[in-house]
Amino acid sequence: MINKKKIAAFVPIKLNSRRLPNKNFLNLGNRPLAHYIFDTLHQIEELDSVYCYTSQSQIIKLLPDKTKLLPRPANLDGDDVSGNQLFDYAIQKLSNYDVIVLCHPTGPFVEAESLKQGIHAVISDDYDCAIAVEKLRTYAWFNGKPLNYEPNKMAQTQDLQPVFAETSGFYIFEREKYKKTKSRVGEKPAFIEVNRREAVDIDYPSDFAFAEHMLGYDEKEKALSFDRFFVDIVKEKAIHGKIRHYSFDLDGVIIDSIEVMEKSWCAVGGEYNLEIGFDEYKKHIGRPLHDILKMIGVPDTKIDSVAKSYSAQTRLHKDAIKSYPEVVEAIKVLKKDGYLISIVTSKPRERAEEIVEGLFGKDSGIVLVSPEDLPSKRGKPAPDPILLACCLNGCDPQETIYIGDMDVDKRAAKRAAVHFVHASWGYEELPELDEVWFGDAKSLCQYLYEISNAQSKEV
């Protein structure tokens, strides 16, 4: 549909401000605060004009090119002037336009896509205005009464009815309707939900400080996801305690063998008429095979033969095993840098040796621990295999980081009193985030390198 409506955006602005002096031209990052919204507006093809609405014409020289001047009388600059008085004058002057976009320089992070969504909502005639709002799921009160919950029937915050708060980021409306109602909000508003970064509105010094922290935040990439908090805490502990030994789980951390496991289990299930799906088997990955078979209900009389058949099947499908190249490379780099390396797995030793030798060579110097190596025969979640890896490498648990992907790995590490890192690209999501965790192998490797570099600088 061709848009025949003329659309203008205007941004009220002045040099002086009471609560945060000169805020509109304070340097935010590498440019003045006011530049952000104008730069964004100039990206929007739907806009015919972008105006700076001010009584101080010299401001126009401080703004991006293509910005037009919409002058206003100085008497509209006073703190006692209402918003309606200020906007009325601008809208009268913008008589050649059908739709008006009102933005503020104090909302630097409003995104072009959000503005476009609002513009299209209004020009479609389905709505008579569009408002930037932030959706809040929190216990809200108004006039001394709860707004969206009953205190005697507490609900989880994620189950609350959301409250929509205007952010002042933008208001988009038809000029003719504003003239009649004297309101930037109509009867059929489109609520354009914006993220926390877009919702930033700077009035006080604390707001400006918050905006500075939000400069590098990317909502889509979750750039400030809370793994950083845990990483920094445990990294400090690790550096302070002098990590000497990195111990890795095999399946789900160094290799991806889930396809092999599933094919093998399905074949064995058919052979022995086991009505136990792979989903049930998968819940217990990380334990020794015989332990898994007992836990999922394989009859005791069949366990040995099922285990033998399963191991044979995994050999048949071994070519489907994939490695995580970043982790393999990280292990090689850490070994070269003088760190002790072990791999603690619940795989049978012969099968594990084949995989490890294929990835790292026959004389890699990597200590391998599997269930057969344990005098106790206790596999994970018992601490025995990790403690044996520490013994074979001649180091203390406090000098060790164990990297695993399953709850049994976490429990074994805690019982062994070693540091634990969760490789969440593996086979299980851990509900309790009381440890370091990483969503991809590259991030994990960067973390390990940072510890290594920091320790080498302390020497």
Side-chain angles (χ1 to χ4, degrees):
M1 182 181 77
I2 299 174
N3 172 30
K4 295 182 180 179
K5 294 182 179 180
K6 291 195 68 177
I7 308 173
F10 78 97
V11 180
I13 191 168
K14 58 183 178 179
L15 286 173
N16 298 323
S17 50
R18 181 165 47 88
R19 289 169 292 196
L20 178 57
N22 305 314
K23 67 179 177 183
N24 292 324
F25 290 93
L26 287 177
N27 201 40
L28 179 62
N30 60 356
R31 52 191 165 138
L33 171 61
H35 270 229
Y36 284 82
I37 189 61
F38 283 103
D39 284 340
T40 299
L41 290 169
H42 286 306
Q43 296 174 28
I44 300 174
E45 296 177 356
E46 289 85 346
L47 291 176
D48 295 290
S49 302
V50 175
Y51 289 94
C52 167
Y53 179 42
T54 182
S55 65
Q56 298 158 310
S57 58
Q58 67 270 33
I59 286 178
I60 201 72
K61 297 177 182 178
L62 306 175
L63 297 174
D65 294 340
K66 300 181 186 177
T67 305
K68 298 179 180 180
L69 177 65
L70 179 62
R72 74 187 192 213
N75 67 304
L76 291 179
D77 290 346
D79 291 331
D80 57 343
V81 174
S82 70
N84 278 351
Q85 288 176 290
L86 183 64
F87 303 145
D88 278 349
Y89 187 87
I91 290 162
Q92 287 178 31
K93 294 298 180 183
L94 296 172
S95 57
N96 293 331
Y97 299 93
D98 304 298
V99 174
I100 305 297
V101 177
L102 166 61
C103 295
H104 296 280
T106 51
F109 302 131
V110 170
E111 295 179 5
E113 280 305 311
S114 298
L115 283 159
K116 288 181 180 181
Q117 187 180 348
I119 290 170
H120 285 285
V122 174
I123 65 176
S124 70
D125 292 329
D126 292 332
Y127 303 91
D128 58 7
C129 69
I131 311 167
V133 297
E134 186 178 13
K135 181 195 283 188
L136 304 175
R137 289 189 186 275
T138 189
Y139 303 111
W141 289 66
F142 180 71
N143 281 345
K145 296 181 180 179
L147 187 62
N148 61 340
Y149 81 109
E150 297 179 47
N152 62 338
K153 297 179 181 179
M154 291 293 292
Q156 299 286 342
T157 52
Q158 63 265 29
D159 297 326
L160 293 175
Q161 285 295 317
V163 175
F164 294 93
E166 296 181 23
T167 69
S168 298
F170 58 81
Y171 295 85
I172 303 169
F173 47 86
E174 294 180 347
R175 181 178 174 277
E176 287 301 316
K177 287 190 177 178
Y178 182 92
K179 286 171 61 180
K180 294 177 182 177
T181 63
K182 300 299 181 184
S183 174
R184 57 191 179 180
V185 177
E187 296 178 352
K188 294 174 59 181
F191 294 124
I192 310 302
E193 292 180 33
V194 298
N195 59 49
R196 186 67 194 93
R197 183 174 186 268
E198 285 184 275
V200 168
D201 184 35
I202 299 171
D203 278 325
Y204 298 95
S206 58
D207 300 327
F208 194 89
F210 181 61
E212 289 182 309
H213 283 291
M214 295 297 279
L215 278 170
Y217 178 73
D218 188 324
E219 177 77 11
K220 298 181 179 67
E221 295 180 4
K222 307 292 184 188
L224 293 183
S225 59
F226 43 85
D227 60 318
R228 288 190 179 186
F229 175 70
F230 296 108
V231 167
D232 291 344
I233 285 179
V234 178
K235 190 191 300 178
E236 289 301 318
K237 285 183 181 178
I239 293 171
H240 181 72
K242 288 297 183 185
I243 296 303
R244 297 175 55 223
H245 174 209
Y246 292 99
S247 184
F248 294 80
D249 182 28
L250 184 59
D251 293 276
V253 176
I254 301 175
I255 63 170
D256 181 5
S257 55
I258 199 73
E259 182 181 342
V260 172
M261 294 183 197
E262 185 168 10
K263 287 181 178 178
S264 301
W265 182 250
C266 289
V268 170
E271 181 181 354
Y272 288 90
N273 296 317
L274 301 173
E275 295 183 1
I276 305 169
F278 181 69
D279 285 343
E280 186 61 29
Y281 180 97
K282 185 179 176 181
K283 294 176 185 176
H284 307 286
I285 292 173
R287 297 174 182 267
L289 179 58
H290 279 69
D291 291 353
I292 295 176
L293 298 181
K294 287 180 182 178
M295 294 180 75
I296 62 178
V298 174
D300 290 345
T301 55
K302 292 184 178 181
I303 284 179
D304 287 340
S305 55
V306 168
K308 184 176 180 180
S309 180
Y310 179 81
S311 296
Q313 286 291 330
T314 59
R315 287 178 177 277
L316 288 176
H317 300 295
K318 64 181 181 180
D319 291 341
I321 292 177
K322 302 168 187 174
S323 69
Y324 294 102
E326 297 94 339
V327 181
V328 173
E329 181 60 26
I331 291 172
K332 292 178 180 177
V333 170
L334 292 168
K335 190 78 177 70
K336 185 178 178 181
D337 287 346
Y339 288 92
L340 303 168
I341 304 294
S342 65
I343 294 175
V344 174
T345 178
S346 294
K347 268 191 180 333
R349 183 172 186 85
E350 183 180 357
R351 184 75 192 98
E353 277 182 342
E354 290 178 2
I355 296 170
V356 172
E357 287 180 8
L359 294 173
F360 302 102
K362 191 169 185 179
D363 299 314
S364 64
I366 294 173
V367 169
L368 175 64
V369 176
S370 63
E372 297 100 303
D373 301 314
L374 300 165
S376 66
K377 303 303 179 186
R378 296 199 312 166
K380 295 180 287 185
D384 305 26
I386 297 176
L387 290 173
L388 179 57
C390 292
C391 290
L392 293 174
N393 268 319
C395 64
D396 293 343
Q398 291 82 359
E399 300 173 304
T400 300
I401 291 179
Y402 185 65
I403 299 101
D405 66 313
M406 303 293 289
D407 182 61
V408 291
D409 298 322
K410 173 183 171 181
R411 289 161 58 193
K414 289 200 169 187
R415 291 169 66 181
V418 304
H419 302 289
F420 178 66
V421 169
H422 180 217
S424 60
W425 63 85
Y427 304 146
E428 184 175 16
E429 293 183 9
L430 301 186
E432 296 180 6
L433 295 173
D434 56 353
E435 66 282 322
V436 184
W437 61 275
F438 295 95
D440 59 80
K442 184 177 179 181
S443 298
L444 165 71
C445 297
Q446 184 60 41
Y447 167 76
L448 299 182
Y449 295 148
E450 285 177 10
I451 291 178
S452 174
N453 291 338
Q455 292 188 155
S456 64
K457 289 177 183 177
E458 292 186 354
V459 175

